[in-house]
């Protein structure tokens, strides 16, 4: 390799961000960190800046940035510290950033990730909310500016690996019959509706197979995560929703599969460790060591599959409804869900209230065409306001 690839990590202090730094740490000859961002985790970001010496570090507010700046100067660091959305965009579009890991959670990641697409970077996309909120706009920007989009979400990374390299000429032309999107089913796969009434945040965040941030852990427990992933897959692979079959697979070893017209099914398997899809996206089309333990099929012994239950996991159905409604409907659902999950984590909404709140907001707001970022941002804000109001009124308590 002629020179090291520069990487910006948006959301460096999070679960995906830290796994990305772990892969970078194993390949100092290939990668150089050029920018790191975190919302409020000052100490984590400062420690990572001291280890990786990026050009730029970004925090969420002026106070956090001033504190990080003071700590870094004390240690003789030359990393510049900025804050706010414009600074996130600057991190995503630094001339030295060959690739951008988009690992901010939620809607906050939209503007910088879109900016990375508009400046034609290689985007390693973990932040699925970008595609859920603004799939049409984002994919248009990727195509118009020649950005390279590599999915990091484990299922989408698996599908990408199982598809032919030229899948963008059309899935039917490539002989694809179905995309089999696997789901662990989360911690409540076998729980009854009655059991689900009394679920606590701690129970919802204890995922059986994956270690993840709190928001996505709750989304896995409601299966909203799988719903968001159906929408994500529609945009990434230009697939109609009916082509995507969710398959519950409790072991989380088959990360997803593609079924072809000749009867073949190509799947990607591996231990549930996000460093595999991260390393794949970083090195594509090559492969590099990720520090992941080799898969031991003898130890796993068996792989189980079952159909999803759309009644207990209402959020999954809501995602299909939103994609069918089109336009801003997925952004509305995503915004309602972010408010619902935060309210659940703050013990202001019961677990089953998440789906009820999402359904109420999705049903109450018209889906408008997704013609500009402004419309998406407005729909997102209006959905949040309505959701907050319903939580405050204890409408689903
Ligand atoms: P996390 O909560 O561990 O980390 C989130 C990161 O975003 C942190 O660095 C945080 O500082 C930053 N952040 C949060 N709010 C912000 C704001 N308002 N402005 C700027 N930065 C902000 O989350 P995670 O589990 O690492 O997930 C990150 C993204 O990757 C999510 O979109 C998630 O759906 C997706 N994803 C995660 C996993 C996983 O295994 N963790 C798997 C697939 C996809
Ligand atoms: Mg996933």
């Amino acid at each position: 390799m002629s020179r090291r690839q520069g990487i910006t990590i948006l959301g460096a202090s999070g679960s995906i961000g830290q796994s990305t730094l772990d892969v970078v740490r194993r390949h100092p000859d290939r990668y150089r960190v050029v920018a790191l961002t975190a919302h409020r985790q000052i100490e984590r970001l400062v420690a990572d800046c001291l280890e990786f010496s990026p050009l730029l570090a970004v925090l969420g507010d002026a106070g956090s940035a001033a504190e990080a700046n003071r700590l870094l100067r004390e240690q003789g660091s030359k990393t510049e510290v900025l804050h706010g959305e414009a600074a996130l965009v600057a991190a995503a579009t630094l001339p030295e950033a060959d690739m951008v890991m988009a690992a901010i959670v939620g809607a906050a990641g939209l503007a910088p990730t879109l900016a990375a697409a508009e400046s034609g970077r290689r985007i390693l996309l973990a932040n699925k909310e970008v595609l859920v909120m603004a799939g049409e706009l984002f994919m248009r920007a990727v195509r118009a500016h020649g950005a390279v989009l590599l999915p990091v979400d484990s299922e989408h990374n698996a599908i990408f690996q199982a598809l032919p390299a030229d899948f963008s000429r059309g899935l039917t032309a490539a002989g694809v019959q179905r995309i089999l999107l696997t789901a662990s089913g989360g911690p409540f796969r076998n729980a009854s509706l009655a059991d689900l009434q009394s679920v606590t945040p701690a129970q919802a965040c204890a995922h059986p197979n994956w270690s993840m941030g709190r928001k996505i852990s709750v989304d896995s427990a409601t299966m909203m995560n799988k719903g968001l992933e159906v929408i994500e897959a529609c945009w990434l692979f230009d697939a109609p929703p009916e082509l995507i079959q969710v398959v519950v697979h409790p072991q989380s070893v088959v990360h997803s599969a593609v079924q072809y017209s000749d009867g073949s099914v190509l799947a990607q398997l591996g231990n549930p460790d996000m460093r595999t899809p991260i390393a794949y996206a970083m090195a594509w089309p090559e492969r590099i060591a990720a520090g992941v333990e080799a898969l031991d099929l003898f130890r796993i012994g068996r792989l189980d599959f079952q159909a999803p239950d759309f009644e207990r996991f209402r959020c999954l159905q809501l995602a299909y409804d939103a994609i069918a409604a089109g336009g801003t409907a997925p952004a509305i659902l995503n915004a309602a869900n972010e408010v619902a999950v935060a309210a659940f984590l703050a013990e202001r909404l019961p677990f089953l209230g998440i789906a009820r709140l999402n359904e109420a907001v999705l049903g109450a707001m018209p889906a408008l065409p997704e013609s500009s970022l402004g419309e998406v941002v407005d729909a997102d804000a209006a959905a949040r306001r309505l959701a907050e109001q319903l939580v405050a009124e204890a409408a689903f308590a």
Side-chain angles (χ1 to χ4, degrees):
M1 183 153 301
S2 53
R3 70 172 182 92
R4 292 189 300 164
Q5 301 272 295
I7 181 168
T8 282
I9 306 177
L10 303 171
S13 57
S15 168
I16 294 286
Q18 291 292 302
S19 294
T20 306
L21 285 173
D22 186 79
V23 177
V24 170
R25 200 176 273 126
R26 291 164 196 277
H27 301 279
D29 52 325
R30 289 184 74 116
Y31 305 105
R32 158 184 177 228
V33 174
V34 298
L36 294 174
T37 87
H39 196 39
R40 293 207 178 91
Q41 296 84 338
I42 303 171
E43 283 172 17
R44 179 74 267 153
L45 194 73
V46 166
D48 290 335
C49 286
L50 292 174
E51 180 180 352
F52 292 97
S53 308
L55 303 168
L56 177 62
V58 179
L59 279 148
D61 60 90
S64 305
E67 176 64 4
N69 191 47
R70 188 184 66 74
L71 293 169
L72 284 170
R73 293 300 85 85
E74 260 176 28
Q75 301 289 326
S77 162
K78 294 198 172 60
T79 300
E80 185 185 3
V81 186
L82 297 174
H83 71 274
E85 186 172 283
L88 288 177
V89 169
T93 56
L94 275 183
E96 295 84 356
D98 300 294
M99 60 180 83
V100 177
M101 165 56 80
I104 289 175
V105 60
L110 179 55
T113 310
L114 190 59
E118 286 165 348
S119 59
R121 304 309 159 98
R122 173 192 284 228
I123 301 168
L124 322 180
L125 187 70
N127 185 191
K128 63 192 85 185
E129 294 89 344
V130 167
L131 283 172
V132 172
M133 292 181 69
E136 193 177 333
L137 286 171
F138 183 71
M139 293 308 290
R140 203 187 300 150
V142 165
R143 281 189 293 269
H145 301 279
V148 174
L149 181 59
L150 293 157
V152 169
D153 208 349
S154 57
E155 298 78 0
H156 305 75
N157 188 270
I159 295 162
F160 185 86
Q161 294 196 43
L163 282 171
D166 61 348
F167 73 85
S168 57
R169 72 193 161 100
L171 295 183
T172 314
V176 174
Q177 251 179 1
R178 265 182 169 210
I179 288 176
L180 304 174
L181 184 71
T182 54
S184 69
F188 311 129
R189 182 171 48 89
N190 294 319
S192 67
L193 263 180
D195 295 338
L196 293 178
Q197 302 278 10
S198 55
V199 162
T200 65
Q203 289 168 328
C205 288
H207 196 280
N209 307 337
W210 295 93
S211 147
M212 309 181 285
R214 280 162 72 79
K215 156 74 169 50
I216 183 171
S217 295
V218 176
D219 285 347
S220 295
T222 59
M223 288 194 77
M224 185 74 254
N225 181 52
K226 209 48 54 179
L228 300 178
E229 290 186 358
V230 169
I231 301 172
E232 182 185 13
C234 288
W235 288 115
L236 276 172
F237 308 117
D238 196 15
E242 56 280 8
L243 204 89
I244 299 166
Q245 169 73 61
V246 173
V247 178
V248 176
H249 165 49
Q251 291 92 353
S252 298
V253 167
V254 175
H255 296 309
S256 277
V258 177
Q259 189 160 36
Y260 287 91
S261 50
D262 63 1
S264 301
V265 174
L266 299 191
Q268 187 257 357
L269 282 70
N271 282 318
D273 187 324
M274 288 306 293
R275 290 175 301 177
T276 296
I278 290 167
Y280 180 87
M282 283 170 65
W284 178 86
E286 295 172 23
R287 291 198 186 250
I288 55 171
V292 176
E293 204 189 328
L295 183 66
D296 182 347
L297 283 174
F298 297 124
R299 199 168 74 204
I300 291 159
R302 58 184 278 180
L303 299 172
D304 296 299
F305 302 97
Q306 62 193 68
D309 180 344
F310 288 89
E311 262 171 58
R312 278 182 307 138
F313 298 101
R314 184 84 196 125
C315 287
L316 186 54
Q317 181 61 47
L318 295 178
Y320 278 96
D321 295 348
I323 192 113
T328 53
I332 291 166
L333 176 60
N334 177 66
N337 184 59
E338 285 192 23
V339 172
V341 171
F344 167 69
L345 287 171
E347 301 191 50
R348 294 172 65 214
L349 188 70
F351 183 73
L352 290 175
I354 298 173
R356 290 197 207 108
L357 182 68
N358 289 348
E359 185 160 13
V361 175
L362 186 63
M365 293 185 55
L368 302 173
E370 182 196 314
S371 35
S372 74
L373 190 58
E375 269 138 332
V376 173
V377 170
D378 288 350
D380 173 87
R384 275 169 209 274
R385 275 196 303 275
L386 178 56
E388 299 279 9
Q389 185 193 329
L390 292 172
V391 172
E393 288 168 2
F396 301 102

